[in-house]
Amino acid sequence: MTDFHDGTRCVRAGLPEPAPGDPFLPGPVFAAPYHLDPWQGPAASANGYGRPDNPTRRLLEAAIGELEGGDCRVFASGQAAITGLLLAVLRPGDTVLLPADGYFPVRAFATATLEGIGVRVGFVPTAGPYPSFEGVRLLLLETPANPGLDVADVAALAERAHAAGALVAVDNTTATPLGQRPLDLGADLVVASGTKALTGHSDLLLGYLASRSAELLETVTSWRTATGAVPGAFDAWLAHRSLATLDLRLARQTANAAAVVELLAGRADVRGLRWPGRPEDPAYPVASAQMRRMPGVLSFDLGDADRVARFVEAARLVAAATSFGGLHTTADRRAQWGDDTAPGFVRLSCGAEDTADLVADIAAALDAAGPTRPLS
Ligand SMILES: Cc1ncc(COP(=O)(O)O)c(C=O)c1O
């Protein structure tokens, strides 16, 4: 499918060869044990027991793997995939570098758990500057970073990290494999939450990891089997069904983000606007060179928590909710979760509503929210 464009690749990703009488995407296989061959036991079939093996999961893995350009293993959530990678790869005495401005539960996990088992943890801002990678075992990048939306140059950093003997993993949650292909840019591993735009319907949790290294895949697969951090068959099937529309959903979300950014850039009552697709944005030079398309997520500052609440309450098309990448436009005041952001900082995830409706609604809601205390 590599010779086709994004929409075609999404529609066809991971589907089995057509056979008369079969559905396009087979339904979920609900099984803990499977019938075994009485003589050969598990050697006779790929399906022996549901924790290591499930055919619905394998089809989803084939689909995501095709889009990322590597082999894929899915996990029960993004956190399961990321923490699984960190715990499977790192040993006491190793050094890992993590984004200082990325998804904050990863930082919390590193401090609470990794440091507790003797792993040295360093935090680096996504936009740099990056230190020497001598002695580093793993560099985890998150680009664009959630929620600040800074961007890291994956190819340049991977080259430097590899020269020093470090592994490079990229959290591809915000971009999705249509937004960028970290394995093509030189990363050893992609890790991501499939809960967000990848599946996009706000109805399931999913994580995945992709790589071209058989050895790394073996390590994380063994980890997953041992810890049991697998998604259920129904969620895997739902995710695969949703993946088929990724191109369509992203096209609308990106268009909506561009239009909302244009609106917000023209308003004196909105500060700190960030979107890597905006030519004035500090992330734009690297993002526009590295990314195949821009995310539907942007961020800005409304000054204080009260004004954010007034804005969201006044909006008809903006739901107060965390997560991002879904069909419905959502706003999340990140400080309410303990994220290291200003009180009025908002991550806005544009949904698939009609662009004109969304822009008009956001403009009206900002007007209705009124002014804030003077912004510093
Ligand atoms: C960049 C990033 N990575 C990982 C995660 C964790 O994913 P999940 O919520 O599926 O565990 C998130 C969740 O918001 C995220 O934004």
Side-chain angles (χ1 to χ4, degrees):
M1 289 289 154
T2 47
D3 50 334
F4 289 115
H5 296 97
D6 287 358
T8 314
R9 291 166 57 235
C10 289
V11 166
R12 305 297 294 254
L15 296 186
E17 285 300 315
D22 282 0
F24 287 50
L25 174 65
V29 176
F30 298 115
Y34 306 81
H35 288 293
L36 292 179
D37 181 291
W39 288 274
Q40 293 185 61
S45 159
N47 303 325
Y49 183 58
R51 178 153 40 81
D53 304 309
N54 178 280
T56 311
R57 213 159 66 206
R58 284 199 299 274
L59 288 181
L60 175 62
E61 291 175 340
I64 300 174
E66 277 177 32
L67 298 180
E68 286 286 6
D71 281 333
C72 169
R73 298 291 178 270
V74 290
F75 285 75
S77 68
Q79 277 298 92
I82 295 169
T83 57
L85 167 68
L86 296 172
L87 288 169
V89 164
L90 297 169
R91 294 285 169 271
D94 282 349
T95 297
V96 61
L97 295 182
L98 301 173
D101 48 349
Y103 185 54
F104 81 92
V106 174
R107 296 201 296 280
F109 169 81
T111 309
T113 304
L114 293 181
E115 284 182 352
I117 58 170
V119 173
R120 282 191 283 265
V121 179
F123 297 108
V124 188
T126 296
Y130 284 81
S132 158
F133 297 131
E134 285 310 318
V136 171
R137 169 78 177 129
L138 175 69
L139 169 68
L140 173 66
L141 304 171
E142 187 182 307
T143 177
N146 167 29
L149 301 175
D150 267 327
V151 162
D153 185 335
V154 176
L157 290 167
E159 197 177 320
R160 275 186 53 201
H162 288 157
L167 287 172
V168 179
V170 175
D171 185 326
N172 209 21
T173 302
T174 304
T176 84
L178 297 194
Q180 75 198 355
R181 302 228 309 174
L183 300 179
D184 287 349
L185 297 169
D188 303 287
L189 295 137
V190 171
V191 70
S193 169
T195 312
K196 320 293 174 191
L198 186 84
T199 59
H201 288 68
S202 309
D203 53 8
L204 59 87
L205 291 172
L206 184 79
Y208 73 88
L209 207 143
S211 179
R212 293 173 185 165
S213 156
E215 195 187 331
L216 286 170
L217 280 161
E218 175 55 35
T219 303
V220 297
T221 307
S222 300
W223 174 270
R224 189 185 66 173
T225 300
T227 58
V230 289
F234 188 66
D235 281 2
W237 177 80
L238 261 186
H240 199 162
R241 187 181 192 270
S242 301
L243 201 58
T245 55
L246 178 60
D247 173 67
L248 293 169
R249 288 184 281 107
L250 285 183
R252 176 61 66 83
Q253 288 172 330
T254 305
N256 280 352
V260 170
V261 162
E262 196 184 328
L263 166 78
L264 299 183
R267 290 192 67 118
D269 56 355
V270 174
R271 301 286 169 87
L273 178 62
R274 293 298 309 267
W275 189 55
R278 184 175 178 235
E280 295 80 7
D281 194 281
Y284 182 79
V286 175
S288 57
Q290 164 170 286
M291 298 183 69
R292 303 172 70 243
R293 54 172 91 189
M294 294 298 156
V297 183
L298 54 123
S299 63
F300 51 89
D301 195 333
L302 291 186
D304 61 66
D306 199 60
R307 183 159 179 249
V308 175
R310 294 201 304 275
F311 161 67
V312 178
E313 195 174 57
R316 295 160 69 203
L317 298 180
V318 181
T322 193
S323 200
F324 55 92
L327 291 171
H328 311 90
T329 295
T330 55
D332 195 15
R333 196 176 70 77
R334 290 303 298 163
Q336 70 189 338
W337 298 93
D339 212 342
D340 185 19
T341 48
F345 176 96
V346 177
R347 183 184 65 207
L348 188 88
S349 173
C350 294
E353 299 88 355
D354 284 287
T355 306
D357 292 341
L358 186 61
V359 169
D361 189 57
I362 289 176
L366 285 171
D367 290 344
T372 185
R373 295 192 299 267
L375 291 168
S376 53

